[in-house]
Coordinates of all heavy atoms in Angstrom, one line a residue:
M1 N 0.8 -1.2 0.0 CA 0.0 0.0 0.0 C 0.9 1.2 0.0 O 1.8 1.4 0.8 CB -0.9 0.0 1.2 CG -1.8 1.1 1.3 SD -3.0 1.0 2.6 CE -4.1 -0.2 1.9
K2 N 0.6 2.1 -0.9 CA 1.4 3.3 -1.0 C 0.9 4.4 -0.1 O -0.2 4.4 0.4 CB 1.4 3.8 -2.5 CG 2.1 2.9 -3.4 CD 2.2 3.5 -4.8 CE 2.9 2.5 -5.7 NZ 3.2 3.0 -7.0
T3 N 1.8 5.4 0.1 CA 1.5 6.5 1.0 C 0.2 7.3 0.5 O -0.6 7.7 1.3 CB 2.7 7.4 1.2 OG1 3.8 6.7 1.5 CG2 2.4 8.5 2.2
T4 N 0.1 7.5 -0.8 CA -1.0 8.2 -1.3 C -2.3 7.5 -1.1 O -3.3 8.1 -0.8 CB -0.8 8.5 -2.8 OG1 -0.6 7.2 -3.5 CG2 0.3 9.4 -3.1
E5 N -2.3 6.1 -1.1 CA -3.5 5.3 -0.9 C -3.9 5.5 0.6 O -5.1 5.5 0.9 CB -3.2 3.9 -1.2 CG -3.0 3.6 -2.7 CD -2.6 2.2 -3.0 OE1 -2.4 1.4 -2.0 OE2 -2.4 1.9 -4.2
V6 N -2.9 5.5 1.5 CA -3.1 5.6 2.9 C -3.8 6.9 3.3 O -4.7 7.0 4.1 CB -1.8 5.3 3.7 CG1 -2.1 5.6 5.2 CG2 -1.3 3.9 3.5
K7 N -3.3 8.0 2.7 CA -3.8 9.3 2.9 C -5.2 9.5 2.5 O -5.9 10.3 3.0 CB -2.9 10.4 2.3 CG -1.6 10.5 3.0 CD -0.7 11.6 2.4 CE 0.6 11.6 3.2 NZ 1.5 12.7 2.8
Q8 N -5.7 8.7 1.5 CA -7.0 8.9 1.0 C -8.0 8.2 1.8 O -9.2 8.4 1.7 CB -7.1 8.3 -0.4 CG -6.3 9.2 -1.4 CD -6.3 8.6 -2.8 OE1 -6.7 7.4 -3.0 NE2 -5.7 9.3 -3.8
L9 N -7.6 7.3 2.7 CA -8.5 6.5 3.6 C -9.1 7.4 4.7 O -8.4 8.3 5.1 CB -7.8 5.3 4.2 CG -7.4 4.2 3.2 CD1 -6.6 3.2 4.0 CD2 -8.5 3.6 2.6
E10 N -10.3 7.1 5.1 CA -10.8 7.8 6.3 C -10.2 7.2 7.5 O -9.7 6.1 7.5 CB -12.4 7.7 6.3 CG -13.0 8.4 5.2 CD -14.5 8.3 5.3 OE1 -15.0 8.1 6.4 OE2 -15.2 8.5 4.3
T11 N -10.3 7.9 8.6 CA -9.7 7.5 9.9 C -10.2 6.1 10.3 O -9.5 5.2 10.7 CB -9.9 8.5 11.0 OG1 -9.4 9.8 10.5 CG2 -9.1 8.1 12.2
K12 N -11.5 5.9 10.2 CA -12.1 4.7 10.7 C -11.6 3.5 9.8 O -11.3 2.4 10.3 CB -13.7 4.8 10.6 CG -14.4 3.7 11.1 CD -15.9 3.9 11.1 CE -16.7 2.8 11.7 NZ -18.1 3.0 11.6
E13 N -11.6 3.7 8.5 CA -11.1 2.7 7.6 C -9.6 2.4 7.9 O -9.2 1.2 7.8 CB -11.2 3.1 6.2 CG -12.6 3.3 5.7 CD -12.7 3.8 4.3 OE1 -11.7 4.5 3.8 OE2 -13.7 3.6 3.6
L14 N -8.9 3.4 8.2 CA -7.4 3.2 8.5 C -7.2 2.4 9.7 O -6.4 1.5 9.7 CB -6.8 4.6 8.7 CG -5.3 4.7 8.7 CD1 -4.7 4.1 7.4 CD2 -4.8 6.1 8.9
V15 N -8.0 2.6 10.8 CA -7.9 1.8 12.0 C -8.2 0.4 11.7 O -7.5 -0.6 12.2 CB -8.8 2.4 13.1 CG1 -8.9 1.5 14.3 CG2 -8.3 3.8 13.5
E16 N -9.3 0.1 10.9 CA -9.7 -1.2 10.6 C -8.6 -1.9 9.8 O -8.3 -3.1 10.0 CB -11.0 -1.2 9.8 CG -12.2 -0.9 10.6 CD -13.4 -0.7 9.8 OE1 -13.4 -1.1 8.5 OE2 -14.5 -0.3 10.3
K17 N -8.0 -1.2 8.8 CA -6.9 -1.8 8.0 C -5.7 -2.2 8.8 O -5.0 -3.2 8.6 CB -6.6 -0.9 6.9 CG -7.6 -0.9 5.7 CD -6.9 -0.5 4.5 CE -7.9 -0.5 3.3 NZ -7.7 -1.7 2.5
I18 N -5.4 -1.3 9.8 CA -4.2 -1.6 10.7 C -4.5 -2.9 11.5 O -3.6 -3.7 11.6 CB -4.0 -0.4 11.6 CG1 -3.4 0.8 10.9 CG2 -3.0 -0.8 12.8 CD1 -3.4 2.1 11.7
E19 N -5.7 -3.0 12.1 CA -6.0 -4.2 12.8 C -5.9 -5.4 12.0 O -5.3 -6.4 12.4 CB -7.4 -4.1 13.4 CG -7.5 -3.0 14.5 CD -8.9 -2.8 15.0 OE1 -9.9 -3.5 14.5 OE2 -9.1 -2.0 15.9
N20 N -6.5 -5.4 10.8 CA -6.5 -6.5 9.9 C -5.0 -6.9 9.5 O -4.7 -8.1 9.4 CB -7.3 -6.3 8.6 CG -8.8 -6.2 9.0 OD1 -9.2 -6.7 10.0 ND2 -9.5 -5.5 8.1
A21 N -4.2 -5.9 9.2 CA -2.9 -6.1 8.7 C -2.0 -6.7 9.9 O -1.2 -7.6 9.6 CB -2.2 -4.8 8.3
E22 N -2.3 -6.2 11.1 CA -1.5 -6.8 12.2 C -1.9 -8.2 12.5 O -1.0 -9.1 12.8 CB -1.8 -6.0 13.5 CG -1.1 -4.6 13.5 CD -1.4 -3.8 14.7 OE1 -2.4 -4.0 15.4 OE2 -0.5 -2.8 14.9
E23 N -3.2 -8.6 12.3 CA -3.6 -10.0 12.5 C -2.9 -10.8 11.4 O -2.4 -11.9 11.6 CB -5.1 -10.1 12.4 CG -5.8 -9.5 13.6 CD -7.3 -9.6 13.5 OE1 -7.8 -10.2 12.5 OE2 -8.0 -9.0 14.3
A24 N -2.9 -10.3 10.2 CA -2.3 -11.1 9.0 C -0.8 -11.3 9.2 O -0.3 -12.3 9.0 CB -2.6 -10.4 7.7
L25 N -0.2 -10.3 9.8 CA 1.3 -10.3 10.0 C 1.5 -11.4 11.1 O 2.5 -12.2 10.9 CB 1.8 -9.0 10.5 CG 3.3 -8.9 10.8 CD1 4.1 -9.3 9.6 CD2 3.7 -7.6 11.3
A26 N 0.7 -11.4 12.1 CA 0.9 -12.4 13.2 C 0.8 -13.8 12.6 O 1.6 -14.7 12.9 CB 0.0 -12.2 14.3
K27 N -0.2 -14.0 11.8 CA -0.5 -15.3 11.2 C 0.7 -15.7 10.3 O 1.2 -16.8 10.3 CB -1.8 -15.4 10.4 CG -3.0 -15.4 11.3 CD -4.2 -15.4 10.4 CE -5.5 -15.3 11.3 NZ -6.7 -15.2 10.5
M28 N 1.2 -14.7 9.5 CA 2.3 -14.9 8.6 C 3.5 -15.4 9.3 O 4.2 -16.3 8.9 CB 2.5 -13.7 7.8 CG 3.1 -13.9 6.5 SD 3.5 -12.4 5.5 CE 2.0 -11.4 5.7
K29 N 3.8 -14.7 10.5 CA 5.0 -15.0 11.2 C 4.9 -16.4 11.8 O 5.9 -17.2 11.8 CB 5.2 -14.0 12.4 CG 5.7 -12.7 12.0 CD 5.9 -11.8 13.2 CE 6.6 -10.5 12.8 NZ 6.8 -9.6 14.0
L30 N 3.7 -16.8 12.3 CA 3.5 -18.1 12.9 C 3.7 -19.2 11.8 O 4.4 -20.2 12.0 CB 2.1 -18.2 13.5 CG 1.8 -19.6 14.2 CD1 2.7 -19.8 15.3 CD2 0.4 -19.6 14.6
N31 N 3.1 -19.0 10.7 CA 3.2 -19.9 9.6 C 4.6 -20.0 9.1 O 5.1 -21.1 8.7 CB 2.3 -19.5 8.4 CG 0.9 -19.7 8.7 OD1 0.5 -20.5 9.5 ND2 0.0 -19.0 8.0
H32 N 5.4 -18.9 9.1 CA 6.8 -19.0 8.7 C 7.6 -19.8 9.7 O 8.6 -20.4 9.3 CB 7.3 -17.5 8.6 CG 8.7 -17.5 8.1 ND1 9.1 -17.9 6.8 CD2 9.8 -17.0 8.6 CE1 10.4 -17.7 6.6 NE2 10.9 -17.2 7.7
Q33 N 7.3 -19.8 10.9 CA 8.0 -20.5 11.9 C 7.8 -22.0 11.7 O 8.7 -22.8 11.9 CB 7.7 -20.1 13.3 CG 8.2 -18.8 13.7 CD 7.8 -18.3 15.1 OE1 7.0 -19.0 15.7 NE2 8.4 -17.2 15.5
I34 N 6.6 -22.4 11.4 CA 6.2 -23.8 11.2 C 6.8 -24.3 9.9 O 7.5 -25.3 9.9 CB 4.7 -24.0 11.3 CG1 4.2 -23.6 12.7 CG2 4.3 -25.4 10.9 CD1 2.7 -23.5 12.8
T35 N 6.4 -23.7 8.8 CA 6.9 -24.1 7.5 C 7.4 -22.8 6.8 O 6.6 -21.8 6.7 CB 5.9 -24.8 6.6 OG1 4.8 -23.9 6.5 CG2 5.5 -26.1 7.2
P36 N 8.6 -22.7 6.3 CA 9.1 -21.4 5.7 C 8.2 -21.0 4.6 O 7.7 -21.8 3.8 CB 10.5 -21.8 5.2 CG 10.9 -23.0 6.0 CD 9.6 -23.7 6.3
L37 N 8.0 -19.7 4.6 CA 7.2 -19.1 3.5 C 7.9 -19.1 2.2 O 9.2 -19.1 2.2 CB 6.9 -17.6 3.8 CG 5.9 -17.3 5.0 CD1 5.9 -15.8 5.2 CD2 4.6 -17.8 4.7
E38 N 7.2 -19.1 1.1 CA 7.8 -19.2 -0.2 C 8.6 -17.9 -0.5 O 9.6 -17.8 -1.0 CB 6.7 -19.3 -1.3 CG 7.2 -20.0 -2.5 CD 6.0 -20.3 -3.4 OE1 5.2 -21.2 -3.1 OE2 5.9 -19.6 -4.4
N39 N 8.0 -16.8 0.0 CA 8.6 -15.4 -0.1 C 8.7 -14.7 1.2 O 7.7 -14.0 1.6 CB 7.8 -14.6 -1.1 CG 8.4 -13.3 -1.5 OD1 9.5 -13.0 -1.0 ND2 7.8 -12.5 -2.3
P40 N 9.7 -14.9 2.0 CA 9.8 -14.3 3.4 C 9.8 -12.8 3.4 O 9.6 -12.2 4.4 CB 11.1 -14.9 3.9 CG 11.7 -15.7 2.9 CD 10.9 -15.8 1.7
S41 N 10.1 -12.2 2.2 CA 10.1 -10.7 2.2 C 8.7 -10.2 2.4 O 8.5 -9.0 2.6 CB 10.8 -10.2 1.0 OG 10.0 -10.6 -0.2
Q42 N 7.7 -11.0 2.3 CA 6.3 -10.6 2.5 C 6.1 -10.0 3.9 O 5.4 -9.1 4.2 CB 5.3 -11.7 2.3 CG 5.2 -12.2 0.9 CD 4.3 -13.4 0.8 OE1 4.2 -14.2 1.8 NE2 3.7 -13.7 -0.3
I43 N 6.9 -10.6 4.9 CA 6.8 -10.2 6.3 C 7.3 -8.7 6.4 O 6.7 -7.9 7.0 CB 7.6 -11.1 7.2 CG1 7.0 -12.5 7.2 CG2 7.7 -10.5 8.6 CD1 7.7 -13.5 7.9
K44 N 8.4 -8.4 5.7 CA 9.0 -7.1 5.7 C 8.0 -6.1 5.1 O 7.8 -5.0 5.6 CB 10.3 -7.1 5.0 CG 11.0 -5.8 5.0 CD 12.4 -5.8 4.4 CE 12.5 -6.3 3.0 NZ 13.8 -6.2 2.4
V45 N 7.4 -6.5 4.0 CA 6.5 -5.6 3.3 C 5.3 -5.3 4.2 O 4.8 -4.1 4.3 CB 6.1 -6.2 2.0 CG1 4.9 -5.4 1.3 CG2 7.2 -6.3 1.0
A46 N 4.8 -6.3 4.9 CA 3.6 -6.1 5.8 C 4.0 -5.2 6.9 O 3.2 -4.3 7.3 CB 3.1 -7.5 6.3
R47 N 5.1 -5.4 7.5 CA 5.6 -4.5 8.6 C 5.6 -3.1 8.2 O 5.2 -2.2 8.9 CB 6.9 -5.0 9.2 CG 6.9 -6.0 10.2 CD 8.2 -6.2 10.9 NE 9.3 -5.5 10.5 CZ 10.4 -6.0 9.8 NH1 10.5 -7.3 9.6 NH2 11.4 -5.2 9.5
R48 N 6.2 -2.9 7.0 CA 6.3 -1.5 6.5 C 5.0 -0.9 6.2 O 4.7 0.3 6.4 CB 7.2 -1.5 5.3 CG 8.7 -1.7 5.7 CD 9.6 -1.7 4.5 NE 11.0 -1.9 4.9 CZ 12.0 -2.0 4.1 NH1 11.8 -1.9 2.8 NH2 13.2 -2.2 4.6
D49 N 4.0 -1.7 5.7 CA 2.7 -1.1 5.4 C 2.0 -0.7 6.7 O 1.4 0.3 6.8 CB 1.8 -2.2 4.7 CG 2.2 -2.3 3.2 OD1 2.9 -1.4 2.7 OD2 1.8 -3.4 2.6
I50 N 2.1 -1.6 7.7 CA 1.6 -1.2 9.0 C 2.2 0.1 9.6 O 1.5 0.9 10.1 CB 1.7 -2.4 10.0 CG1 0.9 -3.6 9.6 CG2 1.4 -2.0 11.4 CD1 1.2 -4.9 10.3
A51 N 3.5 0.2 9.4 CA 4.2 1.4 9.9 C 3.7 2.6 9.2 O 3.4 3.7 9.8 CB 5.7 1.2 9.8
R52 N 3.4 2.5 7.9 CA 2.9 3.7 7.1 C 1.6 4.1 7.6 O 1.3 5.3 7.7 CB 2.8 3.3 5.6 CG 4.1 3.4 4.9 CD 3.9 3.2 3.4 NE 5.1 2.9 2.7 CZ 5.5 1.6 2.4 NH1 4.6 0.6 2.5 NH2 6.6 1.4 1.8
M53 N 0.7 3.1 7.8 CA -0.6 3.4 8.3 C -0.6 4.0 9.7 O -1.4 5.0 9.9 CB -1.5 2.1 8.2 CG -1.8 1.7 6.8 SD -2.9 0.3 6.7 CE -1.8 -1.1 7.0
K54 N 0.2 3.5 10.6 CA 0.3 4.0 11.9 C 0.8 5.4 11.9 O 0.4 6.3 12.7 CB 1.1 3.1 12.8 CG 0.4 1.9 13.2 CD 1.2 1.1 14.2 CE 0.5 -0.1 14.8 NZ 1.3 -0.8 15.8
T55 N 1.8 5.7 11.0 CA 2.3 7.0 10.9 C 1.3 8.0 10.5 O 1.2 9.1 11.0 CB 3.5 7.0 9.9 OG1 4.5 6.1 10.4 CG2 4.1 8.4 9.8
E56 N 0.5 7.7 9.5 CA -0.6 8.5 9.0 C -1.6 8.8 10.1 O -2.1 9.9 10.3 CB -1.2 8.0 7.8 CG -2.4 8.8 7.2 CD -2.0 10.2 6.8 OE1 -0.8 10.4 6.4 OE2 -2.9 11.1 6.8
L57 N -2.0 7.7 10.8 CA -2.9 7.9 11.9 C -2.4 8.8 13.0 O -3.1 9.7 13.5 CB -3.2 6.5 12.5 CG -4.3 6.4 13.5 CD1 -5.7 6.8 12.9 CD2 -4.4 5.0 14.1
R58 N -1.2 8.7 13.3 CA -0.6 9.6 14.3 C -0.5 11.0 13.8 O -0.8 11.9 14.6 CB 0.9 9.1 14.7 CG 1.5 9.9 15.7 CD 0.9 9.7 17.1 NE 1.7 10.5 18.0 CZ 1.1 11.1 19.1 NH1 -0.1 11.0 19.3 NH2 1.9 11.8 19.9
Q59 N -0.2 11.2 12.6 CA -0.2 12.6 12.0 C -1.6 13.2 12.1 O -1.7 14.4 12.4 CB 0.3 12.5 10.5 CG 1.7 12.3 10.4 CD 2.5 13.5 10.9 OE1 2.1 14.6 10.9 NE2 3.8 13.2 11.3
R60 N -2.6 12.4 11.9 CA -4.0 12.9 12.0 C -4.3 13.3 13.4 O -5.0 14.3 13.6 CB -5.0 11.9 11.4 CG -4.9 11.7 9.9 CD -5.8 10.7 9.4 NE -5.6 10.4 8.0 CZ -6.4 9.7 7.3 NH1 -7.4 9.1 7.8 NH2 -6.1 9.5 6.0
E61 N -3.9 12.5 14.4 CA -4.1 12.8 15.8 C -3.4 14.1 16.2 O -4.0 14.9 16.9 CB -3.6 11.7 16.7 CG -4.4 10.4 16.6 CD -3.8 9.3 17.4 OE1 -2.7 9.5 18.0 OE2 -4.4 8.2 17.4
L62 N -2.2 14.3 15.7 CA -1.4 15.5 16.1 C -2.0 16.8 15.4 O -1.9 17.9 15.9 CB 0.0 15.4 15.7 CG 0.8 14.3 16.5 CD1 2.2 14.2 15.9 CD2 0.8 14.7 18.0
N63 N -2.6 16.6 14.2 CA -3.2 17.8 13.5 C -4.5 18.3 14.0 O -5.0 19.3 13.7 CB -3.3 17.5 12.0 CG -1.9 17.4 11.4 OD1 -1.0 18.0 11.8 ND2 -1.8 16.7 10.2
K64 N -5.1 17.5 14.9 CA -6.5 17.8 15.4 C -6.4 19.0 16.4 O -5.6 19.4 17.0 CB -7.1 16.7 16.1 CG -7.8 15.7 15.1 CD -8.6 14.7 15.8 CE -9.3 13.8 14.8 NZ -10.0 12.8 15.4

């Protein structure tokens, strides 16, 4: 997810996407420990997407 896509989301949608992404990341990490993922860089991409969303959410809180 790109920064421009994140900025276009409403705050409520952003919070929901963060929660879903964190759950997916936890599942991905667990699955990777049991059987290695075909593409382990997916974990890195997911972490960065979550960080982008959290950064945008924090910026919105500070701007209020």
Side-chain angles (χ1 to χ4, degrees):
M1 180 172 284
K2 295 186 177 188
T3 308
T4 55
E5 295 172 358
V6 172
K7 288 183 180 185
Q8 292 174 353
L9 295 174
E10 292 184 23
T11 305
K12 187 176 181 181
E13 292 174 339
L14 191 57
V15 171
E16 290 175 5
K17 284 204 177 258
I18 290 171
E19 290 174 1
N20 292 337
E22 286 177 339
E23 289 175 11
L25 178 63
K27 288 179 184 177
M28 205 181 312
K29 283 183 177 181
L30 181 64
N31 289 338
H32 183 62
Q33 289 177 351
I34 296 170
T35 57
L37 292 174
E38 208 173 286
N39 187 3
S41 65
Q42 291 173 336
I43 294 173
K44 180 171 62 172
V45 170
R47 273 194 353 251
R48 289 181 179 175
D49 284 343
I50 292 169
R52 278 188 201 101
M53 290 186 278
K54 284 186 174 182
T55 300
E56 178 62 26
L57 187 62
R58 181 69 177 144
Q59 286 293 330
R60 291 179 186 186
E61 289 174 1
L62 293 176
N63 287 337
K64 281 188 177 179

